[in-house]
Amino acid sequence: SVHFAESEILEQYLELRTEFEQRAQAAALSEQEDRTRLLATELAASQAEHAACQAEASAQAAAAEAREVARIEQVELQTQLSLAHAELSAAQEQLQCGPQSE
């Protein structure tokens, strides 16, 4: 009868609508998961870039410190060399003058 056909059509409509809504929700969830993965990937890339920048800054600081240490060592060596040269000059002067006898 017509009433039976209407209720069957209505039941099919409700089933199809429910299935459509479930698929739409699943698609939305999948899209949300994709966006979450993309954001996680972007975050990881940003963190890696930040770590690389920090490593570069640390390397530059270490290089600057090493240059300063080398400069200080060079000054110390130049001072020692000057002192040794002065001692050598004094010793040569004493040798040239010879022993002083009275």
Side-chain angles (χ1 to χ4, degrees):
S1 77
V2 174
H3 181 69
F4 178 74
E6 283 181 3
S7 67
E8 194 174 308
I9 291 172
L10 180 61
E11 188 178 321
Q12 285 180 349
Y13 165 76
L14 291 175
E15 286 175 7
L16 288 173
R17 194 176 94 182
T18 301
E19 184 180 339
F20 171 78
E21 288 173 352
Q22 288 173 344
R23 287 184 182 184
Q25 286 176 351
L29 180 61
S30 177
E31 185 180 336
Q32 184 67 39
E33 289 171 346
D34 289 347
R35 271 186 280 170
T36 301
R37 278 192 292 274
L38 178 63
L39 288 174
T41 301
E42 290 175 354
L43 176 62
S46 176
Q47 289 172 334
E49 185 178 352
H50 179 67
C53 286
Q54 284 184 320
E56 183 179 351
S58 294
Q60 288 177 353
E65 187 176 339
R67 284 192 299 274
E68 180 62 14
V69 167
R71 187 192 66 76
I72 291 170
E73 288 175 351
Q74 182 181 9
V75 168
E76 290 173 351
L77 288 173
Q78 285 175 335
T79 302
Q80 290 175 4
L81 182 61
S82 295
L83 288 173
H85 184 68
E87 289 174 6
L88 178 61
S89 293
Q92 285 177 336
E93 224 174 275
Q94 280 186 343
L95 286 175
Q96 285 175 355
C97 291
Q100 307 252 333
S101 56
E102 296 195 22

